Amino acid sequence: MDSAVVVGVDGSEAALAAVRLAAAEAARRHRPLRVVHAFIWPSLHSPFTPGTEGPADGGLRGQAHQLVTAAVDEAQTTAPGLRVTGEIVDGAPTAVLLQASDDAALVVLGDRGLGGFTALVVGSVAVTVAAHARCPVLVARGATDPQGPIVVGVDGSDVSRRAVEFAVQTAAFRGATVVATHAYRHPASTGPGDMQPLVYDESQLQAEEERALAESITGLTDRYPEVTIRRESVRGRAPKVLTEASRTAQLLVVGGQGRGELTGLLLGSVSRSMLHHSHCPVAVVRGDGVGPPPGG
């Protein structure tokens, strides 16, 4: 059975935007779409009157069925012919989504929610899912420029290389260009505790950064000859550089943990920042891989 694209829904407009994004991505990847709603009725804060003809949570479960049905309809409208299933899973949203990620090709979420997905992104759910999911996580936020490139942040780490591979793979499905973006800072501009020389050859420094950037895409041009990959080394802080690049991108891809992050920090500061500030959808790729190949 093909690994599905999984989308979490809660009835919010942000969740419906995630459904549309997930449906389009599933269709491109030739994968089924699985619409999932995590159901914990005490946390939904919806009034109900227990009836005599069913369980106390019957009214809320009925509402859950309605929102899942609406999400399935939205997906099928977005991508006619797509295989779509919808289900209600009892449990906390984070636990439900992480379990779903075990055999998913991709998990898609909205950038804010209500009910079981309260305060998505600014709260703990999206951060936790992005940090622990066993597959890439795509967060629907901002606006998508269908003519824009897929921008991927590069820092030379192993996780970054997996993010680049995911970006190029996604570009192949979308017929898009990839811009591999590496932000760097002049050593003399770092803090006084870094013990770096105050004088550096700028051209030499830039050449070194360009070499590191070139290494990050080694082999990918042969595997995906149909994808144009541009390289950009930009002097500046990574969050600022990538946020600016996201203004004209159709997708921003970042690694879940980059070079220089603390070992125990599962979601790096750059990827956290992009979840909050990107102007386009964000994909977070961790070190576990980039998901199974099409049809796997």
Side-chain angles (χ1 to χ4, degrees), residues 180-200:
T181 303
H182 175 58
Y184 70 95
R185 298 179 63 200
H186 196 294
S189 66
T190 59
D194 293 335
M195 301 298 291
Q196 296 283 358
L198 296 179
V199 179
Y200 254 74

Side-chain angles (χ1 to χ4, degrees), residues 112-161:
R112 64 184 65 84
L114 49 83
F117 290 91
T118 300
L120 193 59
V121 171
V122 295
S124 62
V125 175
V127 170
T128 303
V129 172
H132 296 280
R134 297 292 300 276
C135 67
V137 175
L138 176 59
V139 177
R141 58 170 292 114
T144 297
D145 180 356
Q147 303 303 316
I150 293 177
V151 175
V152 56
V154 178
D155 67 5
S157 66
D158 289 340
V159 174
S160 171
R161 281 187 281 274

Side-chain angles (χ1 to χ4, degrees), residues 23 25 32 51 65 68 73 81 128 130 152 181 231 251 263 279 283-284 286 288 293:
E25 199 63 33
H65 278 291
V68 169
D73 290 344
T128 303
V152 56
T181 303
R231 307 194 304 264
L251 175 67
T263 302
H279 297 281
V284 178
R286 291 187 58 234
D288 299 52

Side-chain angles (χ1 to χ4, degrees), residues 71-94:
V72 169
D73 290 344
E74 187 76 16
Q76 292 175 331
T77 298
T78 301
L82 179 68
R83 288 179 292 162
V84 186
T85 60
E87 60 187 293
I88 298 170
V89 181
D90 291 344
T94 298

